[in-house]
């Protein structure tokens, strides 16, 4: 094999043999699920006016728009208050369970349904952050986002230790050993059959949802009857390809968001003369802390630097993916910038959505350290609780968890999972 064929063969093996970027997709899952969950919880007192029957964008107006653009929303199936409460509750529950990583395949579909149903019901209620959640909720359906940092991964690891075998946590997260996963899809299939019979779904959405159901049903049947067959291996390859394609689309989408935002800003006269940041700081709607906004807007040099710096960072970011160090520096700058926007301009959910999108480019080594810090913090917090001890003492549990994590990493390296590193950036070797 020539020196040109080896990298090609290795690249094909990485794309088809592994679900790349497990930590990045886990962060995206947690970030967007948490953002949408916090938003829905905050808006509970105003939910009827924002998305429900009492809103200014009434049901008849929404029905006319949906008929013309073909968008999906379950809230168009009925205009009753009870149905709205059910959909809103499903949105909250699915977000919380996706955040925890409980049956992520099923919860990712319910999460997407909740996001699309509410946002497409009242399209004028959203902002840039809502648009990002709208897109990412669809992309998450195609990813194996429960490989790490999820209840699925913990359940699969326990089953692996119990069986004494070495299996992939992400691939085994929804194996038919657990009856809850298949039961969720049976309920989903029953509901989809009812909706189809009532004529509420048609066209592309009908094919999309039935395709999801049939694919997962076929996956379950093959895993149940022939888990070691060539057909199951082929399905794993297809699942890895879908995951890696979804991860690539998320990366490209994040780059497009920053590139288009930066180039549109360049065309604006206020961005060209360096005064664009001054105006939102003096609007009541974007001034939750008037004294802070006035302090920042009173320094002309700072306004100028922030205005030009914002444009420069957004335009340059897609090109920095070819240099890992520069990319990491700009990632820190953008995360800090969005954190400042959340506080100064009062846009916390927009900032959380953008930070979650930025997380797809975080280095794997940093995310692993972050997971280790979180595990140690959790162990320390649990050890201080006055709970009845059962089995190992907390210190022994923490040590055991750390050893288990090291063993998982070693097994991952033996399986060849170290090529997941390129998924941090997407373009660097």
């Amino acid at each position: 094999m020539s020196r040109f064929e080896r990298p090609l063969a290795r690249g094909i093996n990485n794309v088809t043999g592994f679900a790349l970027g497990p930590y990045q997709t886990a962060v995206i899952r947690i970030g967007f699920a948490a953002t949408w969950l916090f938003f829905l919880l905050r808006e509970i007192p105003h939910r009827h006016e924002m998305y429900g029957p009492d809103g200014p964008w009434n049901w008849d107006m929404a029905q006319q728009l949906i008929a013309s653009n073909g968008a999906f929303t379950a809230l168009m199936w009925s205009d009753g208050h009870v149905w709205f409460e059910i959909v809103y509750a499903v949105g909250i529950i699915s977000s919380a369970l996706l955040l925890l990583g409980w049956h992520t395949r099923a919860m990712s579909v319910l999460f997407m349904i909740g996001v699309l149903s509410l946002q497409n019901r009242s399209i004028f209620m959203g902002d840039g952050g809502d648009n990002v959640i709208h897109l990412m909720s669809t992309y998450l359906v195609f990813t194996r986002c429960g490989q790490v940092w999820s209840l699925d991964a913990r359940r699969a690891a326990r089953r692996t230790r119990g069986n004494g075998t070495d299996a992939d946590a992400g691939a085994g997260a929804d194996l038919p050993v657990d009856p809850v996963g298949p039961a969720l899809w049976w309920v989903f299939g029953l509901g989809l059959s009812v909706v189809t019979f009532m004529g509420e779904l048609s066209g592309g959405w009908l094919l999309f949802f039935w395709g999801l159901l049939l694919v997962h049903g076929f996956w379950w049947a093959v895993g149940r009857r022939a888990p070691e067959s060539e057909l199951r291996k082929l399905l794993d390859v297809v699942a890895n390809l879908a995951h890696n394609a979804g991860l690539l689309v998320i990366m490209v989408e994040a780059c497009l968001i920053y590139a288009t935002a930066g180039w549109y800003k360049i065309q604006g006269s206020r961005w060209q003369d360096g005064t664009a940041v001054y105006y939102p700081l003096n609007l009541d709607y974007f001034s939750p802390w008037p004294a802070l906004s006035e302090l920042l807007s009173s320094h002309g040099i700072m306004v100028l630097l922030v205005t030009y710096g914002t444009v420069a960072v957004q335009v340059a970011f897609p090109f920095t993916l070819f240099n890992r160090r520069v990319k990491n520096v700009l990632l820190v700058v953008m995360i800090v910038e969005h954190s400042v926007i959340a506080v100064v301009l009062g846009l916390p959910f927009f900032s959380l959505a953008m930070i979650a999108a930025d997380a797809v480019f975080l280095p794997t080594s940093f995310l692993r350290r972050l997971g280790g810090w979180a595990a140690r913090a959790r162990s320390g917090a649990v050890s201080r609780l006055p709970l009845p001890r059962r089995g190992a003492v907390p210190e022994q549990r923490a040590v055991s968890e750390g050893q288990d994590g090291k063993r998982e990493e070693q097994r991952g390296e033996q399986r060849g999972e170290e090529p997941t590193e390129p998924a941090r950036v997407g373009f660097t070797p």
Side-chain angles (χ1 to χ4, degrees), residues 167-183:
D168 179 44
D174 279 340
L175 284 176
V177 174
D178 183 5
V180 178

Side-chain angles (χ1 to χ4, degrees), residues 21 23-32 136 149 247 250-251 254 258 317 327 331 334-335 338 351-364 366-367 370 423-425:
Y23 292 93
Q24 285 78 7
T25 49
V27 169
I28 293 173
R29 183 198 84 232
I30 294 171
F32 285 108
M136 297 302 177
W149 298 346
L247 183 60
I250 291 173
M251 290 179 171
Y258 284 115
F317 179 72
K327 181 265 299 181
L331 268 180
M334 289 190 301
I335 291 175
H338 287 128
S351 298
L352 284 174
M354 294 307 303
I355 291 174
D358 295 339
V360 72
F361 299 105
L362 289 174
T364 301
F366 169 76
L367 293 176
L370 185 64
R424 301 178 306 175
V425 184

